[in-house]
Amino acid sequence: MNPFRYERVQNIDEALQAAGQGGRFIAGGTNLLDLMKENVERPGRLVDINRLGLDQVEPLPDGGLRIGALVRNADLASHPWILERYPLLGCALMAGASPQLRNMATTGGNLMQRSRCYYFYDTATRCNKRAPGSGCGAVGGCTRIHAILGASEHCIAVHPSDMCVAMAALDATVNVAGARGRRSIPFQEFHRLPGDTPQYDNTLREGELITSVDLPAQGFASRYSYLKIRDRLSYAFALVSVAAALRLEDDGSIAEARVALGGVAHKPWRLPEAERMLAGETPSVRSFTRFADALLEGATGQGDNEFKIELACRATVRALTQAANGTPQSQVDKRIA
Ligand SMILES: Cc1cc2nc3c(=O)[nH]c(=O)nc-3n(C[C@H](O)[C@H](O)[C@H](O)COP(=O)(O)OP(=O)(O)OC[C@H]3O[C@@H](n4cnc5c(N)ncnc54)[C@H](O)[C@@H]3O)c2cc1C
Ligand code: SF4
């Protein structure tokens, strides 16, 4: 048992001050506490941010939506504006974890959750993410859940979130506050590839607090699909997931396409130049397969996870086909949401 101090802060200034003195934020605690119990994380000071009042979903003047960092995953998934305007995000949230976890997990915590790599959790093994410079136990080890894109010799872990895959496809923005002021980070720049510093999951600076996430007005509410492939039908992380969204012209051709992959890289994987190739195309298995081949270009298996390359291609084609037909893989049931 590592001793730690626990304190509750009442406003953002107090939170930033505590973080500046080595404090570590805790929100729902569903990831951080697990890591503390496994001895992977050993913070000396826990700063409870649950009373900061960042638990609102608010409209933005440009037609978008602002989601407070402390909005719970369950509340967000069932929020009327998410159901009506951003069902892709609602489906991704409902595909994650279990009802109990979604009741606790927050938007900010979900963004910051750490990899589920077996070796990261096992302190008896080498892991550059947990102990920089110690090596990577996964390379040459069990790699069923590991990356096929964007990996490095130092780390082949993937980002495990479902929510973030939908937010990447929707072009969200992460708003943060820190000692040097406030700034906004485009979603694609928030998570990062491992390179030779896999200890950093994202581009948040030391002590910065996520305050909210903004969604732009375009929610792709009529043509979308979140397709999650996993070893169990529920309560399991994605082997591969796809957030697909389309906007069609009146003649049925594609005006705009968005696709993000989860479970394949250290960050939700998007390729805007490949998405642009779809503009003007007629939705078809042929055009979607061509797109999937471009999206997966350079994908490399790590042994056990070779199957993910073909799986990701097929899942992409399926999700895009569902989006084009207006028949998403799953929908949040408004009666129970
Ligand atoms: C058994 C199990 C199954 C799961 N399955 C899935 C799944 O299928 N899909 C999925 O997407 N997720 C899944 N999860 C992960 C779950 O979604 C995350 O644990 C949760 O979203 C984390 O949110 P939290 O508020 O509990 O974060 P916490 O545990 O409180 O914090 C996590 C990290 O975020 C930091 N943090 C929290 N809030 C902020 C903030 N506002 N600003 C800066 N830093 C912050 C903390 O310091 C900490 O480092 C699962 C978790 C468990 C335990
Ligand atoms: S893949 Fe990354 S998280 Fe997993 S053992 Fe290697 S360095 Fe650690």
Side-chain angles (χ1 to χ4, degrees), residues 176-194:
V176 307
R180 287 197 257 162
R182 295 187 177 233
R183 63 188 180 115
S184 297
I185 309 170
F187 208 85
Q188 273 303 285
E189 292 168 24
F190 185 80
H191 296 105
R192 62 186 291 281
L193 294 179

Side-chain angles (χ1 to χ4, degrees), residues 117 119-120 126-129 136-138 146 154-157:
C117 170
Y119 303 90
F120 175 65
R126 292 174 299 134
C127 172
N128 286 324
K129 190 179 275 302
C136 173
H146 288 81
H154 304 285
C155 180
I156 58 172

Side-chain angles (χ1 to χ4, degrees), residues 13 17 25 49 58 70 89 107 122-123 137 149 157 188-189 196 206 216 264-265 271-273 299 307 319 325 333:
D13 286 344
Q17 202 177 6
F25 302 134
I49 56 173
E58 299 160 314
L70 289 161
L89 177 57
T107 305
D122 182 352
T123 53
L149 287 161
Q188 273 303 285
E189 292 168 24
D196 56 4
E206 186 80 25
V264 297
L271 217 56
E273 54 273 30
F307 72 96
N325 292 335
D333 188 336

Side-chain angles (χ1 to χ4, degrees), residues 24-34 41 49 69 73 95-97 101 104-106 108-110 112-113 116 160-163 204 208-211 228 235-238:
R24 185 73 183 278
F25 302 134
I26 181 160
T30 61
N31 191 214
L32 184 55
L33 288 182
D34 274 1
E41 304 251 24
I49 56 173
N73 287 180
L101 284 157
M104 286 305 291
T106 62
N110 196 313
M112 296 292 290
Q113 64 173 296
R116 310 304 289 200
S161 168
D162 288 294
M163 181 194 84
L204 208 64
E208 271 184 326
L209 174 78
I210 299 168
T211 54
K228 179 174 178 178
Y235 201 35
F237 288 90

Side-chain angles (χ1 to χ4, degrees), residues 205-228:
R205 295 181 190 132
E206 186 80 25
E208 271 184 326
L209 174 78
I210 299 168
T211 54
S212 60
V213 175
D214 289 352
L215 299 179
Q218 171 67 268
F220 299 92
S222 50
R223 298 192 188 275
Y224 68 92
S225 186
Y226 187 73
L227 175 59
K228 179 174 178 178

